[in-house]
């Protein structure tokens, strides 16, 4: 499916909210049970972009938003500031058509350019398609949290996968540049 990738904006929140709502209600990627409303999704968006993290959308040839992805803090304690967690959500009609691949590639490129050194995927439901997508982009399995969630009448595992970005741990980061300055105030 051909898509255009671009920065997300507040004008995309209705479509982002709808995609996430479907994922919450019908999938296991998110362990939320009740989908958040537009205002909550806008607040989450603002919290992510205000810290300088990448947040992108995929738009199809008709102009419809069919997916979104962002990198955000894995944890907000300062020592974690060089690691991001990726999140990718797709509209049902975009699944299995290469949209997630494009979004992940762009997210990796942008996160690397920003100076992040590690990316982690926390894969709810240990979903095989998401595991395969991440593995094809250099992520390695680093752990499985068994029975970590209960949703849709069943116990779910969470898969943790990680990949190095840029220099990884081979060099020290510049203490005066982003993301070294995150969470230090």
């Amino acid at each position: 499916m051909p898509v255009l990738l671009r920065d997300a904006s507040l004008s995309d929140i209705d479509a982002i909210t709808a995609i996430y709502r479907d994922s919450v209600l019908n999938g296991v990627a998110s362990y939320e049970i009740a989908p958040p409303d537009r205002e909550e999704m806008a607040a989450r968006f603002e919290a992510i972009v205000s810290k300088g993290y990448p947040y992108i959308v995929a738009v199809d040839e008709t102009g419809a938003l069919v997916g979104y992805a962002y990198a955000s803090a894995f944890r907000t304690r300062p020592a974690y500031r060089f690691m991001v967690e990726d999140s990718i959500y797709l509209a049902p009609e975009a699944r299995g058509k290469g949209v997630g691949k494009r979004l992940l590639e762009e997210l990796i490129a942008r996160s690397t350019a920003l100076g992040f050194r590690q990316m982690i995927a926390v894969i709810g439901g240990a979903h095989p398609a998401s595991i395969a997508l991440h593995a094809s982009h250099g992520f390695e399995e680093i752990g499985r949290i068994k029975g970590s969630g209960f949703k849709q009448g069943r116990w779910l595992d969470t898969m943790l996968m990680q990949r190095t970005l840029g220099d990884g741990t081979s060099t020290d980061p510049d203490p005066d540049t982003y993301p070294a300055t995150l969470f230090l105030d």
Side-chain angles (χ1 to χ4, degrees):
M1 169 182 277
V3 293
L4 169 72
L5 302 182
R6 61 168 173 77
D7 291 333
S9 70
L10 274 176
S11 65
D12 297 317
I13 293 301
D14 288 336
I16 288 169
T17 301
I19 289 170
Y20 190 64
R21 176 181 178 74
D22 178 75
S23 293
V24 168
L25 293 175
N26 300 307
V28 295
S30 169
Y31 282 8
E32 289 194 75
I33 303 296
D37 63 18
R38 182 193 193 288
E39 290 71 29
E40 174 61 22
M41 291 299 286
R44 293 178 187 187
F45 171 81
E46 288 291 345
I48 292 166
V49 299
S50 71
K51 293 288 189 191
Y53 294 105
Y55 200 126
I56 55 179
V57 295
V59 180
D60 72 10
E61 61 277 354
T62 71
L65 195 150
V66 295
Y68 69 97
Y70 58 87
S72 60
F74 172 64
R75 299 285 185 266
T76 56
R77 292 196 173 114
Y80 286 115
R81 67 193 180 277
F82 299 99
M83 176 180 271
V84 289
E85 178 180 342
D86 74 299
S87 295
I88 303 168
Y89 292 94
L90 303 174
E93 65 273 15
R95 294 178 190 148
K97 297 183 178 169
V99 178
K101 177 180 188 240
R102 293 273 320 279
L103 285 165
L104 182 56
E105 288 168 353
E106 184 68 15
L107 207 53
I108 290 168
R110 289 184 184 207
S111 296
T112 302
L114 286 168
F116 291 102
R117 300 295 186 94
Q118 302 291 327
M119 184 175 279
I120 190 163
V122 180
I123 302 172
H127 196 277
S130 187
I131 291 169
L133 171 66
H134 284 84
S136 73
H137 286 79
F139 285 76
E140 297 178 358
E141 179 181 337
I142 57 170
R144 179 184 290 260
I145 307 170
K146 295 180 180 180
S148 56
F150 187 81
K151 187 174 178 183
Q152 298 177 347
R154 62 187 174 154
W155 286 105
L156 302 168
D157 292 351
T158 299
M159 175 68 71
L160 302 175
M161 299 182 80
Q162 181 178 349
R163 102 167 242 153
T164 298
L165 302 176
D167 290 340
T169 59
S170 67
T171 63
D172 289 345
D174 181 341
D176 299 319
T177 63
Y178 183 89
T181 56
L182 281 167
F183 312 117
L184 294 179
D185 43 2

